[in-house]
Short mmCIF file of all heavy atoms in Angstrom, two decimals:
data_model
loop_
_atom_site.label_atom_id
_atom_site.label_comp_id
_atom_site.label_asym_id
_atom_site.label_seq_id
_atom_site.Cartn_x
_atom_site.Cartn_y
_atom_site.Cartn_z
N GLY L 101 -163.32 -2.71 13.17
CA GLY L 101 -164.14 -3.41 14.14
C GLY L 101 -165.62 -3.40 13.80
O GLY L 101 -166.40 -3.99 14.52
N ASN L 102 -165.99 -2.73 12.71
CA ASN L 102 -167.40 -2.69 12.30
C ASN L 102 -167.47 -3.20 10.87
O ASN L 102 -167.28 -2.44 9.93
CB ASN L 102 -167.94 -1.27 12.42
CG ASN L 102 -169.43 -1.20 12.14
OD1 ASN L 102 -170.08 -2.22 11.94
ND2 ASN L 102 -169.96 0.01 12.13
N PRO L 103 -167.73 -4.48 10.69
CA PRO L 103 -167.58 -5.10 9.36
C PRO L 103 -168.64 -4.64 8.36
O PRO L 103 -169.78 -4.35 8.70
CB PRO L 103 -167.74 -6.59 9.65
CG PRO L 103 -168.59 -6.65 10.88
CD PRO L 103 -168.19 -5.44 11.70
N GLY L 104 -168.19 -4.59 7.10
CA GLY L 104 -169.09 -4.32 5.99
C GLY L 104 -168.80 -5.34 4.90
O GLY L 104 -167.83 -6.08 4.97
N VAL L 105 -169.67 -5.34 3.90
CA VAL L 105 -169.47 -6.28 2.80
C VAL L 105 -169.79 -5.55 1.48
O VAL L 105 -170.77 -4.82 1.39
CB VAL L 105 -170.34 -7.55 2.98
CG1 VAL L 105 -171.82 -7.24 3.06
CG2 VAL L 105 -170.06 -8.57 1.88
N LEU L 106 -168.88 -5.74 0.50
CA LEU L 106 -169.03 -5.15 -0.83
C LEU L 106 -169.37 -6.27 -1.80
O LEU L 106 -168.70 -7.30 -1.82
CB LEU L 106 -167.73 -4.46 -1.25
CG LEU L 106 -167.64 -3.94 -2.68
CD1 LEU L 106 -168.57 -2.75 -2.88
CD2 LEU L 106 -166.20 -3.55 -3.01
N ILE L 107 -170.41 -6.06 -2.61
CA ILE L 107 -170.87 -7.11 -3.53
C ILE L 107 -171.00 -6.53 -4.93
O ILE L 107 -171.55 -5.44 -5.12
CB ILE L 107 -172.23 -7.68 -3.06
CG1 ILE L 107 -172.07 -8.31 -1.68
CG2 ILE L 107 -172.76 -8.71 -4.06
CD1 ILE L 107 -173.39 -8.61 -1.01
N HIS L 108 -170.49 -7.28 -5.90
CA HIS L 108 -170.66 -6.94 -7.31
C HIS L 108 -171.83 -7.77 -7.83
O HIS L 108 -171.71 -8.97 -8.04
CB HIS L 108 -169.37 -7.27 -8.07
CG HIS L 108 -169.33 -6.74 -9.46
ND1 HIS L 108 -168.36 -7.09 -10.35
CD2 HIS L 108 -170.15 -5.88 -10.13
CE1 HIS L 108 -168.56 -6.47 -11.51
NE2 HIS L 108 -169.65 -5.74 -11.40
N LEU L 109 -172.99 -7.13 -8.01
CA LEU L 109 -174.20 -7.84 -8.42
C LEU L 109 -174.10 -8.29 -9.87
O LEU L 109 -173.34 -7.74 -10.67
CB LEU L 109 -175.42 -6.92 -8.26
CG LEU L 109 -175.72 -6.42 -6.85
CD1 LEU L 109 -176.87 -5.42 -6.89
CD2 LEU L 109 -176.06 -7.59 -5.93
N ASN L 110 -174.92 -9.27 -10.23
CA ASN L 110 -174.98 -9.74 -11.62
C ASN L 110 -175.35 -8.61 -12.58
O ASN L 110 -174.99 -8.65 -13.75
CB ASN L 110 -175.97 -10.89 -11.76
CG ASN L 110 -175.43 -12.17 -11.17
OD1 ASN L 110 -174.22 -12.34 -11.04
ND2 ASN L 110 -176.33 -13.08 -10.79
N SER L 111 -176.05 -7.61 -12.09
CA SER L 111 -176.44 -6.46 -12.92
C SER L 111 -175.25 -5.58 -13.28
O SER L 111 -175.37 -4.70 -14.12
CB SER L 111 -177.47 -5.62 -12.16
OG SER L 111 -176.86 -5.02 -11.03
N GLY L 112 -174.11 -5.80 -12.60
CA GLY L 112 -172.94 -4.97 -12.81
C GLY L 112 -172.79 -3.91 -11.74
O GLY L 112 -171.73 -3.31 -11.60
N GLN L 113 -173.85 -3.68 -10.98
CA GLN L 113 -173.84 -2.67 -9.93
C GLN L 113 -173.05 -3.16 -8.71
O GLN L 113 -173.09 -4.35 -8.38
CB GLN L 113 -175.28 -2.37 -9.52
CG GLN L 113 -175.42 -1.30 -8.45
CD GLN L 113 -176.88 -1.13 -8.01
OE1 GLN L 113 -177.75 -1.92 -8.38
NE2 GLN L 113 -177.14 -0.13 -7.21
N PHE L 114 -172.32 -2.23 -8.06
CA PHE L 114 -171.69 -2.53 -6.79
C PHE L 114 -172.59 -2.02 -5.67
O PHE L 114 -173.12 -0.91 -5.74
CB PHE L 114 -170.33 -1.85 -6.69
CG PHE L 114 -169.26 -2.48 -7.54
CD1 PHE L 114 -169.00 -2.01 -8.82
CD2 PHE L 114 -168.53 -3.56 -7.06
CE1 PHE L 114 -168.03 -2.60 -9.62
CE2 PHE L 114 -167.54 -4.15 -7.85
CZ PHE L 114 -167.29 -3.67 -9.14
N VAL L 115 -172.75 -2.83 -4.63
CA VAL L 115 -173.51 -2.42 -3.45
C VAL L 115 -172.71 -2.81 -2.21
O VAL L 115 -171.89 -3.73 -2.26
CB VAL L 115 -174.91 -3.09 -3.39
CG1 VAL L 115 -175.82 -2.56 -4.50
CG2 VAL L 115 -174.81 -4.59 -3.45
N ALA L 116 -172.96 -2.12 -1.12
CA ALA L 116 -172.28 -2.44 0.14
C ALA L 116 -173.27 -2.32 1.28
O ALA L 116 -174.20 -1.51 1.25
CB ALA L 116 -171.10 -1.52 0.37
N TYR L 117 -173.07 -3.18 2.28
CA TYR L 117 -173.96 -3.21 3.44
C TYR L 117 -173.15 -3.35 4.72
O TYR L 117 -172.06 -3.93 4.72
CB TYR L 117 -174.93 -4.42 3.35
CG TYR L 117 -175.89 -4.28 2.22
CD1 TYR L 117 -175.60 -4.85 0.98
CD2 TYR L 117 -177.06 -3.55 2.35
CE1 TYR L 117 -176.46 -4.70 -0.09
CE2 TYR L 117 -177.93 -3.39 1.30
CZ TYR L 117 -177.62 -3.97 0.08
OH TYR L 117 -178.47 -3.79 -0.98
N ASP L 118 -173.73 -2.85 5.79
CA ASP L 118 -173.24 -3.17 7.12
C ASP L 118 -173.40 -4.68 7.28
O ASP L 118 -174.49 -5.21 7.02
CB ASP L 118 -174.10 -2.42 8.15
CG ASP L 118 -173.56 -2.54 9.56
OD1 ASP L 118 -173.00 -3.60 9.90
OD2 ASP L 118 -173.73 -1.58 10.33
N ALA L 119 -172.34 -5.38 7.67
CA ALA L 119 -172.39 -6.84 7.75
C ALA L 119 -172.80 -7.34 9.11
O ALA L 119 -172.70 -8.53 9.39
CB ALA L 119 -171.03 -7.42 7.35
N THR L 120 -173.28 -6.46 9.97
CA THR L 120 -173.74 -6.87 11.29
C THR L 120 -175.23 -7.21 11.21
O THR L 120 -176.06 -6.34 10.91
CB THR L 120 -173.50 -5.75 12.32
OG1 THR L 120 -172.11 -5.43 12.34
CG2 THR L 120 -173.95 -6.19 13.70
N CYS L 121 -175.56 -8.45 11.47
CA CYS L 121 -176.95 -8.92 11.37
C CYS L 121 -177.85 -8.08 12.27
O CYS L 121 -177.52 -7.81 13.43
CB CYS L 121 -177.02 -10.39 11.77
SG CYS L 121 -178.68 -11.09 11.63
N THR L 122 -179.00 -7.71 11.73
CA THR L 122 -179.94 -6.87 12.48
C THR L 122 -180.74 -7.67 13.51
O THR L 122 -181.52 -7.08 14.26
CB THR L 122 -180.91 -6.16 11.52
OG1 THR L 122 -181.58 -7.13 10.72
CG2 THR L 122 -180.15 -5.18 10.63
N HIS L 123 -180.55 -8.99 13.58
CA HIS L 123 -181.24 -9.79 14.60
C HIS L 123 -180.51 -9.69 15.94
O HIS L 123 -181.06 -9.16 16.90
CB HIS L 123 -181.36 -11.25 14.15
CG HIS L 123 -181.96 -12.14 15.19
ND1 HIS L 123 -181.35 -13.28 15.64
CD2 HIS L 123 -183.12 -12.03 15.89
CE1 HIS L 123 -182.11 -13.84 16.58
NE2 HIS L 123 -183.20 -13.10 16.73
N ALA L 124 -179.28 -10.18 15.99
CA ALA L 124 -178.56 -10.18 17.27
C ALA L 124 -177.08 -9.89 17.11
O ALA L 124 -176.31 -10.15 18.02
CB ALA L 124 -178.78 -11.49 18.01
N GLY L 125 -176.68 -9.39 15.94
CA GLY L 125 -175.34 -8.83 15.84
C GLY L 125 -174.24 -9.73 15.33
O GLY L 125 -173.08 -9.32 15.36
N CYS L 126 -174.53 -10.93 14.87
CA CYS L 126 -173.49 -11.75 14.27
C CYS L 126 -173.10 -11.16 12.91
O CYS L 126 -173.82 -10.35 12.35
CB CYS L 126 -173.97 -13.18 14.06
SG CYS L 126 -174.29 -14.06 15.60
N GLN L 127 -171.96 -11.60 12.38
CA GLN L 127 -171.50 -11.08 11.08
C GLN L 127 -172.05 -11.96 9.96
O GLN L 127 -171.83 -13.17 9.93
CB GLN L 127 -169.98 -11.04 11.02
CG GLN L 127 -169.46 -10.41 9.73
CD GLN L 127 -167.96 -10.19 9.75
OE1 GLN L 127 -167.35 -10.11 10.81
NE2 GLN L 127 -167.37 -10.11 8.58
N VAL L 128 -172.75 -11.34 9.01
CA VAL L 128 -173.30 -12.07 7.86
C VAL L 128 -172.19 -12.30 6.83
O VAL L 128 -171.20 -11.57 6.79
CB VAL L 128 -174.48 -11.33 7.21
CG1 VAL L 128 -175.61 -11.13 8.22
CG2 VAL L 128 -174.04 -10.01 6.61
N ASP L 129 -172.38 -13.32 6.01
CA ASP L 129 -171.44 -13.64 4.93
C ASP L 129 -172.21 -13.76 3.62
O ASP L 129 -173.38 -14.16 3.62
CB ASP L 129 -170.74 -14.99 5.21
CG ASP L 129 -169.80 -14.92 6.39
OD1 ASP L 129 -169.03 -13.95 6.47
OD2 ASP L 129 -169.86 -15.85 7.21
N TYR L 130 -171.51 -13.46 2.52
CA TYR L 130 -172.13 -13.64 1.21
C TYR L 130 -172.09 -15.11 0.82
O TYR L 130 -171.06 -15.77 0.92
CB TYR L 130 -171.38 -12.81 0.16
CG TYR L 130 -172.01 -12.90 -1.20
CD1 TYR L 130 -173.23 -12.28 -1.47
CD2 TYR L 130 -171.39 -13.61 -2.22
CE1 TYR L 130 -173.82 -12.37 -2.71
CE2 TYR L 130 -171.97 -13.70 -3.48
CZ TYR L 130 -173.19 -13.07 -3.72
OH TYR L 130 -173.77 -13.16 -4.95
N ASP L 131 -173.23 -15.63 0.39
CA ASP L 131 -173.33 -17.03 -0.07
C ASP L 131 -173.46 -17.01 -1.59
O ASP L 131 -174.51 -16.64 -2.11
CB ASP L 131 -174.54 -17.70 0.57
CG ASP L 131 -174.77 -19.09 0.01
OD1 ASP L 131 -173.78 -19.75 -0.38
OD2 ASP L 131 -175.94 -19.53 -0.06
N PRO L 132 -172.40 -17.41 -2.31
CA PRO L 132 -172.45 -17.36 -3.77
C PRO L 132 -173.56 -18.24 -4.37
O PRO L 132 -174.09 -17.92 -5.43
CB PRO L 132 -171.07 -17.86 -4.20
CG PRO L 132 -170.21 -17.78 -3.00
CD PRO L 132 -171.12 -17.88 -1.81
N ALA L 133 -173.90 -19.33 -3.71
CA ALA L 133 -174.91 -20.23 -4.25
C ALA L 133 -176.29 -19.57 -4.30
O ALA L 133 -176.98 -19.61 -5.32
CB ALA L 133 -174.96 -21.52 -3.43
N SER L 134 -176.68 -18.95 -3.20
CA SER L 134 -178.00 -18.31 -3.13
C SER L 134 -177.93 -16.85 -3.55
O SER L 134 -178.97 -16.24 -3.82
CB SER L 134 -178.55 -18.40 -1.71
OG SER L 134 -177.77 -17.63 -0.81
N GLN L 135 -176.73 -16.27 -3.58
CA GLN L 135 -176.52 -14.85 -3.83
C GLN L 135 -177.19 -13.98 -2.78
O GLN L 135 -177.63 -12.87 -3.05
CB GLN L 135 -176.97 -14.47 -5.25
CG GLN L 135 -176.20 -15.25 -6.31
CD GLN L 135 -176.58 -14.89 -7.72
OE1 GLN L 135 -177.52 -14.13 -7.96
NE2 GLN L 135 -175.85 -15.43 -8.69
N HIS L 136 -177.27 -14.52 -1.55
CA HIS L 136 -177.83 -13.79 -0.43
C HIS L 136 -176.76 -13.57 0.62
O HIS L 136 -175.74 -14.26 0.64
CB HIS L 136 -178.97 -14.58 0.21
CG HIS L 136 -180.15 -14.77 -0.69
ND1 HIS L 136 -181.02 -15.81 -0.53
CD2 HIS L 136 -180.59 -14.05 -1.75
CE1 HIS L 136 -181.97 -15.72 -1.47
NE2 HIS L 136 -181.72 -14.67 -2.22
N LEU L 137 -177.01 -12.63 1.51
CA LEU L 137 -176.18 -12.47 2.70
C LEU L 137 -176.82 -13.31 3.80
O LEU L 137 -178.00 -13.14 4.12
CB LEU L 137 -176.11 -11.00 3.09
CG LEU L 137 -175.28 -10.15 2.11
CD1 LEU L 137 -175.60 -8.67 2.26
CD2 LEU L 137 -173.80 -10.40 2.32
N VAL L 138 -176.04 -14.24 4.34
CA VAL L 138 -176.58 -15.24 5.25
C VAL L 138 -175.91 -15.09 6.61
O VAL L 138 -174.69 -14.94 6.71
CB VAL L 138 -176.32 -16.66 4.69
CG1 VAL L 138 -176.83 -17.72 5.66
CG2 VAL L 138 -176.98 -16.81 3.32
N CYS L 139 -176.74 -15.16 7.66
CA CYS L 139 -176.22 -15.09 9.02
C CYS L 139 -175.99 -16.50 9.57
O CYS L 139 -176.91 -17.33 9.55
CB CYS L 139 -177.20 -14.35 9.92
SG CYS L 139 -176.56 -14.19 11.60
N PRO L 140 -174.78 -16.78 10.08
CA PRO L 140 -174.47 -18.12 10.57
C PRO L 140 -175.10 -18.45 11.91
O PRO L 140 -175.15 -19.61 12.31
CB PRO L 140 -172.94 -18.12 10.66
CG PRO L 140 -172.60 -16.69 10.95
CD PRO L 140 -173.61 -15.88 10.17
N CYS L 141 -175.59 -17.44 12.63
CA CYS L 141 -176.06 -17.69 13.99
C CYS L 141 -177.46 -18.30 14.04
O CYS L 141 -177.68 -19.32 14.68
CB CYS L 141 -176.02 -16.40 14.80
SG CYS L 141 -174.32 -15.89 15.17
N HIS L 142 -178.42 -17.67 13.38
CA HIS L 142 -179.81 -18.15 13.45
C HIS L 142 -180.46 -18.25 12.08
O HIS L 142 -181.67 -18.41 11.97
CB HIS L 142 -180.65 -17.25 14.37
CG HIS L 142 -179.99 -16.91 15.66
ND1 HIS L 142 -179.45 -15.67 15.93
CD2 HIS L 142 -179.72 -17.68 16.75
CE1 HIS L 142 -178.89 -15.68 17.14
NE2 HIS L 142 -179.04 -16.89 17.66
N GLY L 143 -179.67 -18.09 11.02
CA GLY L 143 -180.16 -18.37 9.68
C GLY L 143 -180.88 -17.26 8.94
O GLY L 143 -181.49 -17.51 7.90
N ALA L 144 -180.81 -16.05 9.44
CA ALA L 144 -181.44 -14.95 8.70
C ALA L 144 -180.77 -14.79 7.33
O ALA L 144 -179.56 -15.05 7.19
CB ALA L 144 -181.34 -13.65 9.48
N GLU L 145 -181.55 -14.38 6.34
CA GLU L 145 -181.00 -14.11 5.00
C GLU L 145 -181.51 -12.77 4.51
O GLU L 145 -182.66 -12.40 4.74
CB GLU L 145 -181.41 -15.21 4.01
CG GLU L 145 -180.77 -16.55 4.31
CD GLU L 145 -180.99 -17.57 3.20
OE1 GLU L 145 -181.07 -17.18 2.02
OE2 GLU L 145 -181.08 -18.76 3.55
N PHE L 146 -180.62 -12.08 3.80
CA PHE L 146 -180.90 -10.74 3.27
C PHE L 146 -180.55 -10.74 1.78
O PHE L 146 -179.62 -11.41 1.36
CB PHE L 146 -180.04 -9.70 3.99
CG PHE L 146 -180.17 -9.73 5.49
CD1 PHE L 146 -179.39 -10.60 6.26
CD2 PHE L 146 -181.06 -8.89 6.15
CE1 PHE L 146 -179.50 -10.63 7.65
CE2 PHE L 146 -181.18 -8.91 7.54
CZ PHE L 146 -180.40 -9.78 8.29
N ASP L 147 -181.30 -9.96 1.01
CA ASP L 147 -181.06 -9.90 -0.44
C ASP L 147 -180.28 -8.63 -0.80
O ASP L 147 -180.83 -7.53 -0.74
CB ASP L 147 -182.39 -9.92 -1.19
CG ASP L 147 -182.20 -10.07 -2.69
OD1 ASP L 147 -181.05 -9.93 -3.17
OD2 ASP L 147 -183.20 -10.33 -3.38
N PRO L 148 -179.01 -8.79 -1.19
CA PRO L 148 -178.22 -7.60 -1.50
C PRO L 148 -178.67 -6.90 -2.78
O PRO L 148 -178.34 -5.73 -2.99
CB PRO L 148 -176.79 -8.15 -1.65
CG PRO L 148 -176.97 -9.58 -2.01
CD PRO L 148 -178.24 -10.02 -1.32
N ALA L 149 -179.44 -7.58 -3.61
CA ALA L 149 -179.94 -6.96 -4.85
C ALA L 149 -181.24 -6.19 -4.62
O ALA L 149 -181.75 -5.54 -5.52
CB ALA L 149 -180.15 -8.03 -5.92
N GLN L 150 -181.80 -6.30 -3.39
CA GLN L 150 -183.07 -5.64 -3.06
C GLN L 150 -182.93 -4.82 -1.78
O GLN L 150 -183.70 -4.99 -0.82
CB GLN L 150 -184.18 -6.69 -2.89
CG GLN L 150 -184.44 -7.54 -4.12
CD GLN L 150 -185.02 -6.73 -5.27
OE1 GLN L 150 -185.72 -5.74 -5.06
NE2 GLN L 150 -184.70 -7.12 -6.50
N GLN L 151 -181.93 -3.96 -1.74
CA GLN L 151 -181.72 -3.03 -0.63
C GLN L 151 -181.53 -3.73 0.72
O GLN L 151 -181.86 -3.18 1.77
CB GLN L 151 -182.87 -2.02 -0.53
CG GLN L 151 -182.96 -1.04 -1.68
CD GLN L 151 -183.64 -1.62 -2.91
OE1 GLN L 151 -184.66 -2.28 -2.78
NE2 GLN L 151 -183.06 -1.40 -4.08
N GLY L 152 -181.00 -4.96 0.71
CA GLY L 152 -180.75 -5.65 1.97
C GLY L 152 -181.99 -6.19 2.64
O GLY L 152 -181.98 -6.50 3.84
N THR L 153 -183.06 -6.32 1.88
CA THR L 153 -184.34 -6.80 2.41
C THR L 153 -184.21 -8.17 3.08
O THR L 153 -183.50 -9.04 2.59
CB THR L 153 -185.35 -6.92 1.25
OG1 THR L 153 -185.51 -5.64 0.66
CG2 THR L 153 -186.71 -7.43 1.72
N VAL L 154 -184.93 -8.35 4.18
CA VAL L 154 -184.97 -9.65 4.85
C VAL L 154 -185.78 -10.62 4.00
O VAL L 154 -186.92 -10.33 3.63
CB VAL L 154 -185.64 -9.53 6.25
CG1 VAL L 154 -185.76 -10.92 6.88
CG2 VAL L 154 -184.86 -8.59 7.14
N ILE L 155 -185.19 -11.77 3.69
CA ILE L 155 -185.94 -12.79 2.95
C ILE L 155 -186.08 -14.07 3.74
O ILE L 155 -186.75 -15.00 3.30
CB ILE L 155 -185.31 -13.06 1.57
CG1 ILE L 155 -183.84 -13.37 1.71
CG2 ILE L 155 -185.53 -11.89 0.63
CD1 ILE L 155 -183.20 -13.73 0.38
N HIS L 156 -185.44 -14.12 4.92
CA HIS L 156 -185.64 -15.28 5.81
C HIS L 156 -185.47 -14.80 7.24
O HIS L 156 -184.48 -14.14 7.55
CB HIS L 156 -184.64 -16.39 5.48
CG HIS L 156 -184.97 -17.69 6.11
ND1 HIS L 156 -184.62 -18.01 7.41
CD2 HIS L 156 -185.63 -18.77 5.63
CE1 HIS L 156 -185.05 -19.22 7.69
NE2 HIS L 156 -185.67 -19.71 6.64
N PRO L 157 -186.43 -15.07 8.14
CA PRO L 157 -186.31 -14.66 9.54
C PRO L 157 -185.17 -15.41 10.24
O PRO L 157 -184.67 -16.37 9.68
CB PRO L 157 -187.69 -15.01 10.11
CG PRO L 157 -188.22 -16.08 9.21
CD PRO L 157 -187.61 -15.87 7.87
N PRO L 158 -184.82 -15.08 11.46
CA PRO L 158 -185.59 -14.25 12.41
C PRO L 158 -185.35 -12.74 12.30
O PRO L 158 -186.05 -12.01 12.99
CB PRO L 158 -185.11 -14.76 13.76
CG PRO L 158 -183.70 -15.18 13.52
CD PRO L 158 -183.69 -15.75 12.11
N ALA L 159 -184.41 -12.27 11.54
CA ALA L 159 -184.25 -10.81 11.43
C ALA L 159 -185.52 -10.22 10.83
O ALA L 159 -186.19 -10.86 10.01
CB ALA L 159 -183.04 -10.48 10.56
N ASP L 160 -185.87 -9.00 11.26
CA ASP L 160 -187.05 -8.35 10.68
C ASP L 160 -186.73 -6.95 10.16
O ASP L 160 -187.63 -6.22 9.76
CB ASP L 160 -188.21 -8.31 11.68
CG ASP L 160 -187.87 -7.56 12.95
OD1 ASP L 160 -186.77 -6.96 13.03
OD2 ASP L 160 -188.70 -7.58 13.87
N THR L 161 -185.44 -6.60 10.16
CA THR L 161 -185.01 -5.29 9.69
C THR L 161 -183.94 -5.48 8.62
O THR L 161 -183.02 -6.28 8.81
CB THR L 161 -184.42 -4.47 10.87
OG1 THR L 161 -185.41 -4.39 11.90
CG2 THR L 161 -184.00 -3.08 10.43
N PRO L 162 -184.05 -4.77 7.49
CA PRO L 162 -183.02 -4.91 6.44
C PRO L 162 -181.63 -4.52 6.94
O PRO L 162 -181.50 -3.75 7.89
CB PRO L 162 -183.49 -3.93 5.36
CG PRO L 162 -184.93 -3.68 5.63
CD PRO L 162 -185.11 -3.84 7.12
N LEU L 163 -180.60 -5.02 6.27
CA LEU L 163 -179.24 -4.57 6.55
C LEU L 163 -179.10 -3.14 6.04
O LEU L 163 -179.54 -2.83 4.93
CB LEU L 163 -178.22 -5.45 5.82
CG LEU L 163 -178.04 -6.86 6.33
CD1 LEU L 163 -177.08 -7.63 5.40
CD2 LEU L 163 -177.51 -6.89 7.76
N PRO L 164 -178.47 -2.27 6.82
CA PRO L 164 -178.26 -0.90 6.35
C PRO L 164 -177.32 -0.87 5.14
O PRO L 164 -176.25 -1.47 5.16
CB PRO L 164 -177.61 -0.20 7.55
CG PRO L 164 -177.95 -1.05 8.73
CD PRO L 164 -178.03 -2.45 8.21
N ALA L 165 -177.74 -0.17 4.09
CA ALA L 165 -176.90 -0.01 2.90
C ALA L 165 -175.85 1.06 3.17
O ALA L 165 -176.09 2.01 3.92
CB ALA L 165 -177.75 0.39 1.71
N LEU L 166 -174.68 0.88 2.58
CA LEU L 166 -173.59 1.85 2.70
C LEU L 166 -173.42 2.54 1.35
O LEU L 166 -173.38 1.86 0.31
CB LEU L 166 -172.29 1.15 3.10
CG LEU L 166 -172.35 0.32 4.39
CD1 LEU L 166 -171.02 -0.39 4.62
CD2 LEU L 166 -172.70 1.19 5.59
N ALA L 167 -173.33 3.85 1.35
CA ALA L 167 -173.18 4.61 0.11
C ALA L 167 -171.75 4.49 -0.39
O ALA L 167 -170.79 4.59 0.39
CB ALA L 167 -173.53 6.07 0.35
N LEU L 168 -171.61 4.24 -1.69
CA LEU L 168 -170.29 4.04 -2.29
C LEU L 168 -169.95 5.18 -3.24
O LEU L 168 -170.83 5.79 -3.84
CB LEU L 168 -170.27 2.73 -3.09
CG LEU L 168 -170.46 1.46 -2.29
CD1 LEU L 168 -170.53 0.27 -3.25
CD2 LEU L 168 -169.34 1.27 -1.29
N HIS L 169 -168.65 5.40 -3.37
CA HIS L 169 -168.13 6.30 -4.40
C HIS L 169 -167.19 5.49 -5.29
O HIS L 169 -166.29 4.82 -4.79
CB HIS L 169 -167.36 7.47 -3.78
CG HIS L 169 -166.67 8.30 -4.80
ND1 HIS L 169 -167.35 9.18 -5.62
CD2 HIS L 169 -165.37 8.37 -5.18
CE1 HIS L 169 -166.49 9.75 -6.45
NE2 HIS L 169 -165.28 9.29 -6.20
N ILE L 170 -167.45 5.49 -6.59
CA ILE L 170 -166.60 4.78 -7.53
C ILE L 170 -165.87 5.82 -8.38
O ILE L 170 -166.50 6.62 -9.09
CB ILE L 170 -167.41 3.82 -8.41
CG1 ILE L 170 -168.14 2.80 -7.52
CG2 ILE L 170 -166.49 3.12 -9.42
CD1 ILE L 170 -169.06 1.87 -8.27
N ASP L 171 -164.53 5.80 -8.29
CA ASP L 171 -163.70 6.74 -9.05
C ASP L 171 -163.64 6.26 -10.49
O ASP L 171 -163.10 5.18 -10.79
CB ASP L 171 -162.31 6.79 -8.42
CG ASP L 171 -161.42 7.85 -9.07
OD1 ASP L 171 -161.40 7.95 -10.31
OD2 ASP L 171 -160.75 8.58 -8.32
N GLY L 172 -164.21 7.06 -11.40
CA GLY L 172 -164.27 6.68 -12.80
C GLY L 172 -162.90 6.53 -13.45
O GLY L 172 -162.74 5.78 -14.41
N ALA L 173 -161.91 7.22 -12.95
CA ALA L 173 -160.57 7.19 -13.54
C ALA L 173 -159.78 5.96 -13.09
O ALA L 173 -159.12 5.31 -13.90
CB ALA L 173 -159.81 8.47 -13.19
N THR L 174 -159.86 5.66 -11.81
CA THR L 174 -159.04 4.56 -11.28
C THR L 174 -159.83 3.29 -11.01
O THR L 174 -159.26 2.22 -10.86
CB THR L 174 -158.37 4.99 -9.95
OG1 THR L 174 -159.41 5.16 -8.97
CG2 THR L 174 -157.58 6.28 -10.12
N GLY L 175 -161.15 3.41 -10.91
CA GLY L 175 -161.97 2.25 -10.55
C GLY L 175 -161.99 1.98 -9.07
O GLY L 175 -162.60 1.02 -8.62
N ALA L 176 -161.33 2.82 -8.29
CA ALA L 176 -161.28 2.62 -6.84
C ALA L 176 -162.67 2.80 -6.23
O ALA L 176 -163.41 3.74 -6.60
CB ALA L 176 -160.31 3.60 -6.20
N ILE L 177 -163.04 1.91 -5.35
CA ILE L 177 -164.33 1.97 -4.67
C ILE L 177 -164.10 2.31 -3.21
O ILE L 177 -163.36 1.60 -2.52
CB ILE L 177 -165.08 0.63 -4.79
CG1 ILE L 177 -165.30 0.29 -6.26
CG2 ILE L 177 -166.40 0.69 -4.04
CD1 ILE L 177 -165.87 -1.09 -6.48
N THR L 178 -164.71 3.38 -2.76
CA THR L 178 -164.57 3.80 -1.37
C THR L 178 -165.96 4.11 -0.82
O THR L 178 -166.92 4.31 -1.56
CB THR L 178 -163.67 5.04 -1.25
OG1 THR L 178 -164.19 6.06 -2.11
CG2 THR L 178 -162.24 4.73 -1.65
N LEU L 179 -166.04 4.18 0.51
CA LEU L 179 -167.27 4.61 1.14
C LEU L 179 -167.45 6.10 0.90
O LEU L 179 -166.49 6.87 1.02
CB LEU L 179 -167.25 4.33 2.63
CG LEU L 179 -167.33 2.86 3.04
CD1 LEU L 179 -167.18 2.74 4.55
CD2 LEU L 179 -168.65 2.26 2.59
N LYS L 180 -168.67 6.48 0.56
CA LYS L 180 -168.97 7.90 0.40
C LYS L 180 -169.00 8.54 1.77
O LYS L 180 -169.61 8.00 2.70
CB LYS L 180 -170.31 8.06 -0.31
CG LYS L 180 -170.54 9.45 -0.86
CD LYS L 180 -171.84 9.50 -1.65
CE LYS L 180 -171.61 9.06 -3.08
NZ LYS L 180 -172.84 9.18 -3.90
N GLN L 181 -168.30 9.66 1.89
CA GLN L 181 -168.22 10.33 3.21
C GLN L 181 -169.44 11.20 3.43
O GLN L 181 -169.94 11.79 2.53
CB GLN L 181 -166.96 11.15 3.32
CG GLN L 181 -165.70 10.30 3.25
CD GLN L 181 -165.57 9.30 4.39
OE1 GLN L 181 -165.85 9.64 5.54
NE2 GLN L 181 -165.16 8.08 4.10
FE1 FES R 282 -178.29 -13.14 12.66
FE2 FES R 282 -179.64 -14.09 14.73
S1 FES R 282 -177.86 -12.87 14.76
S2 FES R 282 -180.03 -14.43 12.64
#
């Protein structure tokens, strides 16, 4: 019930964010064209390659980053506890 989003950046790094928009709580989606996380409600955009920074209002707070654990043996990606 609390959505998150996992992104494989062009740099090869995996990052994850809380997918709840910091403006008014809609769920953001990854836009492959812009490579941003975009909110469908009021158009806020966040940059997953820059710690979830706001790059388009009305949101004024970055998306919270989620810490990941990548198992070197299996490649499994899980949330760090
Ligand atoms: Fe995301 Fe308003 S809820 S821009």
Side-chain angles (χ1 to χ4, degrees):
N102 186 4
V105 59
L106 172 69
I107 299 167
H108 191 190
L109 299 174
N110 286 337
S111 67
Q113 182 185 9
F114 287 94
V115 292
Y117 294 94
D118 187 326
T120 302
C121 182
T122 56
H123 176 235
C126 294
Q127 184 172 337
V128 301
D129 292 315
Y130 183 71
D131 174 31
S134 67
Q135 300 181 353
H136 295 155
L137 289 162
V138 178
C139 182
C141 289
H142 314 106
E145 292 190 32
F146 306 86
D147 189 348
Q150 300 293 330
Q151 292 81 44
T153 300
V154 176
I155 52 176
H156 193 277
D160 60 6
T161 304
L163 289 175
L166 304 176
L168 296 176
H169 172 74
I170 301 175
D171 186 315
T174 67
I177 301 173
T178 54
L179 290 175
K180 196 175 275 184
Q181 296 297 318

